[in-house]
Amino acid sequence: MKEKTIIVSDLHIGNEESNIVKFVECLETLDFDTIIFNGDIFDLLFYSKKKMIEHWQYVIKIRKLIKSKKVYYLPGNHDKWCLFMIPFGFLFGIKVRKRIHYKGYIIEHGDFIDFYLQLRKIFNKDIIIYTDPGESGEDDFHNNCIELAQIKRKPFIVGHSHVPKIVDNLLYDSGDWIKHNTYIILEKN
């Protein structure tokens, strides 16, 4: 029997633009064994107190929907910036991790990948680091994820960019719940 895993990122609960209502409606229809919250589930950088209070009822619904599931919570750059950098995984009653190796994939939010490659380049001059001088850096972010996937010899599943994308079995970006309302379904034996 195949185990079904749902990977979701960039809900931005508490942000005016979050589509948490649509997410909960979607989650209610899905049959899954495991859920991975891959960063920026809460938005503590650009949150609205009014929206956070309004969204709280949906946090409670999410918690009920995942109660009997296996759950991972990987913080992103928006949901870890609270007092003393304490992530909000405890709200879902789960252990928080920065990165996981899961069924042949490396899963992390992705906000640290560019910095990690900069450090690796100090010791390996063959590493290419893509930097976009323009406004949009999604392509460079995705290229950096692919570069790191090649170094690690495992495909990456990320969020962070808000742009859903799949590239050559090396990169899977789950998109967001602001504009795209996307997630990844991973089915493995």
Side-chain angles (χ1 to χ4, degrees):
M1 188 167 119
K2 288 189 176 183
E3 180 184 334
K4 189 183 280 189
T5 302
I6 305 299
I7 304 166
V8 61
S9 68
D10 297 281
L11 279 168
H12 290 276
I13 296 169
N15 187 299
E16 294 280 345
E17 297 178 344
S18 177
N19 285 324
I20 189 171
V21 176
K22 286 184 182 178
F23 173 71
V24 170
E25 290 170 357
C26 176
L27 195 61
E28 289 173 333
T29 67
L30 295 173
D31 179 32
F32 60 95
D33 305 293
T34 303
I35 187 164
I36 300 171
F37 292 103
N38 194 14
D40 289 355
I41 303 307
F42 292 89
D43 194 331
L44 297 173
L45 289 178
F46 302 108
Y47 77 96
S48 153
K49 184 177 179 182
K50 178 183 172 198
K51 280 294 177 183
M52 192 65 87
I53 292 168
E54 182 182 315
H55 289 170
W56 201 251
Q57 65 183 310
Y58 298 102
V59 171
I60 292 167
K61 285 183 181 182
I62 292 169
R63 189 167 176 161
K64 288 178 184 175
L65 289 168
I66 65 172
K67 188 174 184 176
S68 64
K69 311 296 184 185
K70 188 172 186 179
V71 181
Y72 295 92
Y73 186 97
L74 310 165
N77 52 308
H78 284 254
D79 53 357
K80 66 184 174 188
W81 300 107
C82 61
L83 187 61
F84 303 114
M85 305 269 294
I86 300 169
F88 271 73
F90 69 90
L91 293 173
F92 290 120
I94 53 176
K95 188 174 180 181
V96 177
R97 299 179 180 159
K98 181 69 180 157
R99 169 191 281 180
I100 58 172
H101 294 260
Y102 185 81
K103 301 191 182 285
Y105 297 89
I106 298 172
I107 304 175
E108 70 173 70
H109 182 62
D111 56 308
F112 196 67
I113 286 176
D114 295 338
F115 177 72
Y116 182 75
L117 278 177
Q118 292 283 356
L119 288 177
R120 286 196 67 120
K121 190 167 180 66
I122 293 169
F123 303 104
N124 182 350
K125 301 299 180 196
D126 294 332
I127 292 175
I128 298 169
I129 300 173
Y130 301 88
T131 54
D132 180 359
E135 283 184 29
S136 171
E138 291 91 4
D139 287 340
D140 283 344
F141 170 71
H142 288 140
N143 287 333
N144 285 338
C145 292
I146 292 166
E147 180 81 13
L148 193 54
Q150 290 169 336
I151 290 168
K152 296 287 191 178
R153 295 190 177 112
K154 283 189 177 182
F156 266 75
I157 298 176
V158 298
H160 187 57
S161 76
H162 292 229
V163 178
K165 191 166 193 164
I166 299 173
V167 180
D168 300 331
N169 194 32
L170 289 172
L171 168 69
Y172 301 85
D173 189 323
S174 59
D176 69 358
W177 284 84
I178 300 286
K179 292 180 184 173
H180 300 99
N181 300 338
T182 53
Y183 56 94
I184 293 172
I185 297 174
L186 181 62
E187 290 185 311
K188 289 268 189 167
N189 290 334

